[in-house]
Amino acid sequence: MKKQAIFPWGMIFCLAIAPVYGQYYENVKPHAMVEKVTRLRFFYHDIPVGNNPTTVLIAHANITDNFFSPSPFGSLYAMNDPLTVGPDLTSTVIGNAQGMYLALSHDPAKFTAVFYADFAFTTGRFNGSSFSLFSRYPPTDYVPSPGTIREMAIVGGRGAFRMAKGFALLRATSSNATTGNANLEFNVTLYHY
């Protein structure tokens, strides 16, 4: 009888002590978070050729039909592109966009890709903060018509842009179909805490 009583008491002891030593969380009362809206305007410079390229090809599919198009289908690129306050590359640099994109167009006259990039700010009010863009860049001609606006999704952020969501409206300010160089104006709307 004593052996049968020891097992239930042992189980009760183990169940009672587990919450004391096994607690890995803290009960915190939630506080009201106020959502903020921030609008940013800056210029992005993608430079895949030259002495100091900001974008490099890191992989491509062996079965791609046209290796001579600026971005053949299945090509994966790494980027570290500067962000500036003005449309010229010589204007004040405020940060950089680091990430990668995968070219998806079978048509060599068009560009489309899936982008992932972290847009980090290195000066000014948002120094040390960034937001993340993860979206599809819709099909567009390599030399887009003036005024064409593309929309991409913002899916996160850190620092001043913690828990960011929102969208970026992109407009090409210049592009070169031969080299692949492109300058884009970004108008970003961020909702964050």
Side-chain angles (χ1 to χ4, degrees):
M1 187 75 170
K2 285 185 182 181
K3 288 183 182 179
Q4 291 175 346
I6 293 175
F7 180 73
W9 283 108
M11 290 298 294
I12 290 170
F13 178 75
C14 289
L15 292 173
I17 202 159
V20 174
Y21 291 106
Q23 190 169 356
Y24 61 89
Y25 59 90
E26 181 180 347
N27 289 326
V28 178
K29 293 182 181 180
H31 61 279
M33 294 175 41
V34 178
E35 186 174 68
K36 302 173 196 165
V37 178
T38 300
R39 290 185 174 80
L40 304 169
R41 180 177 176 261
F42 55 84
F43 293 84
Y44 163 97
H45 304 273
D46 191 43
I47 307 164
V49 298
N51 294 335
N52 192 18
T54 62
T55 299
V56 294
L57 176 68
I58 57 175
H60 66 84
N62 290 333
I63 60 171
T64 301
D65 293 336
N66 184 357
F67 288 106
F68 301 106
S69 68
S71 292
F73 175 75
S75 297
L76 181 64
Y77 296 86
M79 63 182 189
N80 184 7
D81 295 327
L83 307 176
T84 63
V85 294
D88 297 323
L89 188 56
T90 57
S91 64
T92 305
V93 174
I94 57 170
N96 59 343
Q98 295 178 323
M100 61 182 92
Y101 59 91
L102 178 64
L104 300 173
S105 181
H106 283 286
D107 181 354
K110 300 223 179 262
F111 175 77
T112 187
V114 172
F115 275 82
Y116 167 73
D118 185 69
F119 286 73
F121 296 92
T122 56
T123 62
R125 178 177 169 197
F126 300 115
N127 185 14
S129 299
S130 70
F131 65 85
S132 296
L133 181 145
F134 185 53
S135 192
R136 178 175 179 259
Y137 188 85
T140 188
D141 294 331
Y142 271 101
V143 181
S145 44
T148 301
I149 295 176
R150 304 287 185 222
E151 182 176 337
M152 297 180 80
I154 307 297
V155 297
R158 64 180 175 82
F161 304 131
R162 185 173 290 128
M163 296 177 62
K165 59 187 175 194
F167 59 92
L169 300 176
L170 291 66
R171 183 181 63 85
T173 55
S174 68
S175 63
N176 185 319
T178 305
T179 63
N181 290 356
N183 297 336
L184 301 172
E185 176 185 2
F186 270 70
N187 285 290
V188 178
T189 301
L190 296 168
Y191 301 92
H192 57 96
Y193 295 98

